[in-house]
Amino acid sequence: MTDLLLIDTAEELHKLPRTADGPRAVVMTMGALHEGHATLIRTARERAGESGQVVVTVFVNPLQFGANEDLDRYPRTLDADLEIARAAGADAVFAPAADEVYPGGDPQVRVSAGPMGERLEGATRPGHFDGMLTVVAKLLHLTRPDLALYGQKDAQQLALIRRMVTDLNFPVEVVGVPTVREEDGLALSSRNRYLSAQERRTALALSRALFAGQDRLAAQAALRARAEASPASDERATALARLGEIRSAADAHAVSAAGTGLPDAVRAAARHVLEEAGRHDPPLLLDYLALVDPQDFTDVRPDFTGQAVLAVAAKVGTTRLIDNIPLEFGAHT
């Protein structure tokens, strides 16, 4: 493995020679790297190949922090970040100072996230996504990659970056990488280090809620399939009851007769877990739970089919955490 190159100015970055035979892949981070970031870098290495090039950016972007958020508190661990980037296969790390990225101070011209940027995270953190897209646009211009990789944990961020790249004709392929979780299910985040042991136990409700929603979807989809395999609507419960499955028969008949409502059932299953966690010590303070269309992050309707995102945000103690999982809703027949 070649030595890792540390770059801190745009001029140096522009002088970084591209490889002749492979693509350049970029992984954008705010530092405090963990295994989730390492997975992104390893995936970038795989996509770029040995003949390609992987550039990691480390920049804590002040534009995406609100007045009462944790910009000053956000961990800065560059030396450790360089070791993780090197071990995961990066060729270079671009770690500029704020005045290198914004040489004239706060930029007067910014990228607007539009209506999607005002929902969920955007409603809670006004201006956050404008700041995020502005720095992503700048870093795409500075690094000039063929591929840019982002974690699916930040699902709304990923959706907005895809939209910006499409709407503004950036010549880059955006690659989403699945969320990396710790053994107990908690999604990896640089903010996890703020949690005390008790707070962490409460925080596990986020992933448990998402998986409860996923399980409810799978269970009701299975009941629907069984019900639809029975002869006629009025005979389904009777047919299954003859097999000694009276309760399953009634559930299957009810699900089949309803024909819609799976999104509401998924939300209800997840919300039950979160409400219970709200009674823990310390409590989980729910910001939002939403089941949305990943194209625009609007709530899905009761008859929705296709891929959706079940997303949650909550605060435990002073730490705000987000998580999500993709779900697939099949067509109703």
Side-chain angles (χ1 to χ4, degrees):
M1 183 182 297
T2 59
D3 290 338
L4 182 72
L5 183 62
L6 175 61
I7 299 170
D8 59 12
T9 69
E11 182 179 0
E12 289 179 283
L13 184 61
H14 288 151
K15 292 178 181 177
L16 179 66
R18 302 179 71 94
T19 57
D21 302 324
R24 174 182 286 179
V26 67
V27 174
M28 298 180 187
T29 82
M30 293 207 301
L33 302 190
H34 50 62
E35 180 58 26
H37 297 109
T39 298
L40 285 170
I41 298 167
R42 286 193 294 268
T43 305
R45 181 81 273 164
E46 292 169 5
R47 290 292 304 265
E50 289 306 313
S51 60
Q53 189 177 66
V54 175
V55 177
V56 175
T57 69
V58 174
F59 179 63
V60 181
N61 177 32
L63 296 191
Q64 63 195 73
F65 285 81
N68 298 314
E69 293 184 335
D70 56 354
L71 173 61
D72 293 335
R73 185 186 178 203
Y74 197 87
R76 289 153 173 88
T77 57
L78 183 58
D79 289 342
D81 294 344
L82 294 176
E83 290 305 313
I84 290 173
R86 178 185 288 108
D91 297 298
V93 169
F94 178 50
D99 57 4
E100 183 70 25
V101 178
Y102 305 117
D106 284 354
Q108 296 184 39
V109 177
R110 307 188 186 197
V111 177
S112 170
M116 194 192 334
E118 298 172 357
R119 299 173 186 134
L120 298 188
E121 284 297 291
T124 300
R125 307 174 67 188
H128 166 72
F129 285 126
D130 291 355
M132 179 276 295
L133 289 179
T134 298
V135 80
V136 167
K138 292 201 70 158
L139 291 173
L140 287 175
H141 286 310
L142 289 168
T143 58
R144 297 169 294 163
D146 303 291
L147 307 167
L149 293 87
Y150 303 92
Q152 291 178 359
K153 174 180 167 288
D154 297 297
Q156 193 171 2
Q157 170 179 283
L158 175 59
L160 282 161
I161 292 171
R162 290 189 193 279
R163 188 75 197 202
M164 178 183 73
V165 164
T166 298
D167 288 353
L168 301 185
N169 298 103
F170 279 79
V172 62
E173 178 187 351
V174 176
V175 179
V177 179
T179 300
V180 179
R181 298 184 180 279
E182 301 193 39
E183 288 186 6
D184 57 10
L186 190 67
L188 281 172
S189 169
S190 300
R191 292 184 170 92
N192 289 354
R193 68 186 68 195
Y194 300 149
L195 298 169
S196 68
Q198 282 184 296
E199 288 171 343
R200 185 184 177 91
R201 284 193 289 272
T202 297
L204 293 176
L206 273 74
S207 56
R208 285 203 306 267
L210 297 178
F211 293 130
Q214 183 181 59
D215 290 346
R216 177 65 63 85
L217 174 61
Q220 294 207 208
L223 287 173
R224 183 184 303 284
R226 290 176 61 184
E228 289 172 350
S230 297
S233 179
D234 292 341
E235 301 170 3
R236 286 176 182 151
T238 302
L240 289 173
R242 289 195 188 107
L243 299 176
E245 303 179 29
I246 298 173
R247 182 169 181 178
S248 293
D251 288 346
H253 182 71
V255 172
S256 179
T260 60
L262 281 178
D264 289 338
V266 167
R267 291 186 188 97
R271 188 170 293 278
H272 175 74
V273 175
L274 296 169
E275 288 175 348
E276 186 175 272
R279 296 187 287 272
H280 289 178
D281 181 20
L284 182 142
L285 304 176
L286 182 64
D287 187 344
Y288 62 75
L289 171 70
L291 184 61
V292 297
D293 184 331
Q295 298 303 311
D296 57 11
F297 269 66
T298 57
D299 289 331
V300 302
R301 299 180 303 180
D303 59 349
F304 179 82
T305 60
Q307 189 173 87
V309 172
L310 182 61
V312 63
K315 182 176 281 190
V316 181
T318 60
T319 304
R320 187 175 183 275
L321 300 171
I322 63 172
D323 201 352
N324 73 86
I325 56 171
L327 297 176
E328 187 73 30
F329 289 80
H332 305 316
T333 58

